[in-house]
Amino acid sequence: YAKYRAMRKLGAMPELAIAGRSNCGKSSLINALTGTGRMAKASRTPGRTQLLNVFEGGAKDQRLRIVDLPGYGWTAAGADAGMEWGQMIRNYLIDGGRGRANLAYAMVLLDARRGVTAADQMMLRFLEEHQVPYQVVLTKKDRIRAEQLEVLVAANSQILEQRPLC
C-alpha cells in the first residue's frame, strides 16, 4: 500500500508488523515465518521495500496479517523517500493517533553487524510511547564472529537489557 489510508479498509485480522533499518533482514524473516522462500523479495540494495507490503495467511480460524514496513535509516532511494516512508510507518503504527486496533505485535529487527543505531533507538522509544507491544530480533549474527557479538551486546546492554529480546 502506497498510502496507509487504504489499509483501513482491510477486514479485522491480527497484524504482525515487521520493522527495522533498510536491509536488516525483514524480508528474510517473513520468508522464514511463513515457511516459504519467496513470499517477500529480499534484496541487497537498501530501500527496495517502499510500500506497506501485506501478507495474509493461516488456517481459517487463525488468520494473520504480516505487514512488512519500509526500512528506516539510510536508503538508496534518498532522504526525501526516507522521510516519506517514516511518515507512512508512523501512520500505520498508530493509525493517525487513534491506535491501530488490528496491530497485535511488532518485531523490530536489529542488524548485528551495525549494532543499535540512533534510528533503532528512536523506533523503540516510539513504540513504547505509543504502547505498541514489540520484540527486538537480532539478525545477521551469523555474519559476525562470536567475539564481535559479545562486544555488540556489551556495548548496547544498557539499551537492550530493558527490552524484550529474541
Side-chain angles (χ1 to χ4, degrees):
Y1 290 86
K3 300 289 182 195
Y4 166 69
R5 199 169 302 191
M7 283 194 65
R8 289 186 184 152
K9 297 176 184 173
L10 295 174
M13 183 184 303
E15 294 176 358
L16 170 64
I18 307 293
R21 287 173 40 95
S22 293
N23 214 31
C24 70
K26 294 183 298 293
S27 297
S28 296
L29 178 66
I30 290 169
N31 290 334
L33 289 172
T34 59
T36 66
R38 297 182 180 250
M39 176 75 70
K41 186 176 187 303
S43 171
R44 291 180 185 257
T45 306
R48 289 291 184 194
T49 301
Q50 300 183 7
L51 306 172
L52 298 171
N53 293 323
V54 177
F55 307 95
E56 294 182 359
K60 186 176 182 179
D61 60 340
Q62 296 179 334
R63 304 280 296 162
L64 177 68
R65 181 177 296 132
I66 298 175
V67 182
D68 183 10
L69 305 177
Y72 52 80
W74 187 86
T75 174
D80 289 342
M83 296 286 278
E84 185 178 321
W85 301 341
Q87 186 61 46
M88 185 188 320
I89 292 168
R90 284 188 295 280
N91 285 342
Y92 166 74
L93 289 171
I94 61 170
D95 194 13
R98 290 182 286 278
R100 179 95 185 126
N102 292 335
L103 181 58
Y105 209 67
M107 297 181 98
V108 180
L109 281 60
L110 304 180
D111 185 334
R113 301 169 304 167
R114 308 288 177 248
V116 182
T117 66
D120 293 324
Q121 290 180 52
M122 285 175 53
M123 174 58 82
L124 298 175
R125 280 193 304 273
F126 179 84
L127 294 171
E128 290 163 356
E129 288 170 9
H130 295 283
Q131 300 177 351
V132 176
Y134 71 91
Q135 179 82 40
V136 174
V137 180
L138 190 61
T139 63
K140 303 190 181 189
K141 70 177 198 157
D142 59 323
R143 297 193 183 175
I144 62 174
R145 294 188 319 271
E147 310 84 60
Q148 290 174 299
L149 183 59
E150 288 176 21
V151 169
L152 167 81
V153 171
N156 295 284
S157 64
Q158 197 171 40
I159 296 165
L160 296 176
E161 70 185 9
Q162 302 164 5
R163 297 191 162 94
L165 297 172
C166 99

